[in-house]
């Protein structure tokens, strides 16, 4: 498995990561263990979770913590904070430091490799957030810091504040990015490249739409159930038209739509590790195998033309 440096740091992560949002939610602990075991076997070392993942607050972290016991040194572990059920966006120093202790307890570890802001909290000054995260890194309870879903100017703000304070800077950012969702290319990716953050894309398969399974009218899945409102957003005729074109292109090149979706994202500027969720070991195998296609310049240009 190829590994890449995370932003301007010495930390290295596998080009395919494992999203653990299904753990303790759509799959039970034993099924989660099988998924993680397969990831270990295939060289996946980047595991991403958050305290809001799971059927209840912290359950994904708890399930993952049980599974990684005895193998903690082999993985790059990332988790995210965003707030409590009572205050969904809470990046106050009080909450961050308290929730870190809870995350360490649930994950059954002494440290987190990347501790991340999940969502921006407009009520807390960024300086307070950066100072708290810097203290956490200094304490050794987190090795690095990052963020998810920050606007481009917030990325710049955070990195400049860290520079002015002489504090640790963020090394990574997580954003939705796929062949069907390329908004980050306009301003977010340039900001990340300029200020030293590595991009960790989530939803690279557009919640399954880029596997091609929804081209079958009888297909059922999360999108048909409008899981988290994703069906309303993704199941559009414009997207189906793009998926059909991409599917045809991939087959003409001797590849699958899944391979095109994963390999294309993995080749984009600033991308470090592509987070792909899985509920079965076979899905981990498919995701890992899917990044082995290196598209040449002509093929990349053809993809752009199909999506224009």
């Amino acid at each position: 498995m190829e590994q890449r440096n995370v932003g301007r740091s010495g930390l290295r992560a596998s080009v395919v990561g494992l999203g653990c949002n299904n753990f303790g939610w759509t799959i039970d602990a034993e099924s989660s263990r099988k998924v993680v075991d397969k990831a270990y076997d295939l060289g996946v070392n980047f595991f991403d979770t958050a305290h809001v993942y799971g059927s209840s607050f912290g359950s994904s972290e708890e399930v993952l913590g049980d599974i990684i016991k005895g193998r903690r040194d082999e993985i790059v572990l990332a988790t995210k904070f965003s707030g409590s059920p009572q205050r969904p966006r809470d990046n106050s120093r009080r909450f961050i430091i308290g929730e870190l202790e809870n995350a360490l307890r649930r994950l059954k570890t002494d440290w987190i490799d990347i501790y991340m802001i999940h969502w921006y909290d407009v009520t807390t000054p960024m300086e307070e957030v950066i100072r708290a995260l810097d203290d956490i890194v200094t304490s050794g309870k987190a090795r690095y810091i990052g963020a998810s879903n920050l606007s481009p100017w917030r990325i710049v703000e955070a990195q400049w504040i860290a520079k002015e304070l002489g504090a640790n800077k963020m090394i990574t950012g997580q954003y939705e990015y796929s062949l069907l969702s390329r908004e980050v290319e306009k301003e977010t990716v340039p900001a990340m490249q300029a200020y030293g953050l590595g991009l960790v894309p989530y939803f690279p398969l557009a919640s399954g739409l880029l596997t091609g399974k929804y081209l079958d009218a009888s297909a059922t899945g999360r999108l048909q159930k409008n899981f988290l409102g994703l069906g309303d957003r993704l199941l559009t005729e414009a997207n189906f038209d793009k998926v059909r074109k991409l599917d045809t292109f991939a087959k003409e090149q001797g590849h699958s739509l899944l391979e095109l979706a994963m390999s294309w994202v993995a080749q984009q500027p600033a991308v470090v590790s592509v987070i792909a969720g899985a509920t079965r070991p076979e899905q981990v195998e498919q995701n890992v195998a899917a990044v082995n296609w290196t598209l040449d310049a002509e093929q990349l240009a053809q993809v752009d033309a199909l999506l224009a």
Side-chain angles (χ1 to χ4, degrees):
M1 170 74 67
E2 177 190 356
Q3 293 192 359
R4 299 175 178 177
N5 283 62
V6 184
R8 293 178 192 160
S9 79
L11 184 67
R12 292 179 64 80
S14 54
V15 68
V16 175
L18 181 64
C20 303
N21 57 311
N22 291 303
F23 296 178
W25 189 14
T26 61
I27 57 174
D28 61 19
E30 185 54 36
S31 297
S32 301
R33 183 177 295 278
K34 292 176 181 177
V35 168
V36 171
D37 286 345
K38 179 57 67 175
Y40 272 111
D41 292 344
L42 296 175
V44 174
N45 80 336
F46 186 76
F47 291 73
D48 176 77
T49 186
H51 68 186
V52 295
Y53 294 164
S55 59
S56 59
F57 201 84
S59 58
S60 171
E61 290 180 330
E62 289 178 347
V63 169
L64 182 59
D66 286 334
I67 297 171
I68 64 176
K69 283 189 298 185
R71 300 187 289 187
R72 175 66 183 89
D73 289 341
E74 301 174 41
I75 70 169
V76 175
L77 176 62
T79 192
K80 302 180 286 293
F81 63 89
S82 61
S84 64
Q86 294 74 34
R87 184 181 167 191
R89 304 273 179 103
D90 186 351
N91 294 348
S92 66
R93 181 182 183 87
R94 178 179 183 274
F95 181 82
I96 292 172
I97 293 177
E99 188 51 34
L100 170 73
E101 297 296 338
N102 291 332
L104 293 172
R105 173 180 51 79
R106 291 189 292 255
L107 288 162
K108 300 169 183 65
T109 183
D110 295 326
W111 83 98
I112 290 163
D113 292 294
I114 311 178
Y115 198 45
M116 306 181 68
I117 305 166
H118 203 163
W119 296 97
Y120 184 67
D121 164 24
V122 298
T123 67
T124 303
M126 183 62 81
E127 181 174 335
E128 179 177 338
V129 179
I130 294 300
R131 285 186 183 276
L133 291 174
D134 182 62
D135 285 347
I136 286 170
V137 174
T138 301
S139 74
K141 293 182 179 180
R143 303 300 194 238
Y144 301 91
I145 58 175
S148 175
N149 305 306
L150 286 189
S151 62
W153 78 268
R154 289 292 186 192
I155 293 173
V156 175
E157 178 191 30
Q159 297 298 73
W160 270 98
I161 287 173
K163 180 180 179 180
E164 289 298 306
L165 296 176
N168 285 277
K169 297 178 181 179
M170 296 188 296
I171 65 167
T172 187
Q174 291 186 13
Y175 294 86
E176 180 176 357
Y177 192 25
S178 74
L179 283 162
L180 299 179
S181 179
R182 301 177 62 175
E183 185 66 26
V184 295
E185 294 175 350
K186 296 178 182 178
E187 296 182 357
T188 302
V189 170
M192 296 178 76
Q193 290 178 296
Y195 288 89
L197 283 77
L199 173 59
V200 177
Y202 63 82
F203 288 173
L205 300 176
S207 296
L209 189 54
L210 285 168
T211 65
K213 71 177 183 179
Y214 290 103
L215 292 177
D216 183 345
S218 64
T220 59
R222 288 184 174 184
L223 295 184
Q224 261 88 11
K225 298 174 183 177
N226 199 28
F227 178 73
L228 298 178
L230 293 171
D232 287 343
R233 178 159 66 88
L234 293 171
L235 294 179
T236 65
E237 190 50 47
N239 275 347
F240 276 120
D241 182 57
K242 291 177 181 178
V243 170
R244 292 185 192 99
K245 290 177 181 178
L246 293 168
D247 185 49
T248 298
F249 170 78
K251 289 175 179 175
E252 289 173 348
Q253 307 300 314
H255 293 275
S256 67
L257 178 60
L258 173 65
E259 289 176 295
L260 174 60
M262 290 290 289
S263 292
W264 180 88
V265 172
Q267 284 184 234
Q268 298 309 301
V271 169
V272 175
S273 184
V274 183
I275 296 177
T279 57
R280 303 188 310 276
E282 312 89 79
Q283 291 176 327
V284 181
E285 291 180 315
Q286 292 166 356
N287 293 335
V288 169
V291 296
N292 292 326
W293 177 13
T294 302
L295 287 82
D296 61 31
E298 181 180 350
Q299 290 169 327
L300 290 170
Q302 287 178 279
V303 170
D304 285 343
L306 291 173
L307 296 172

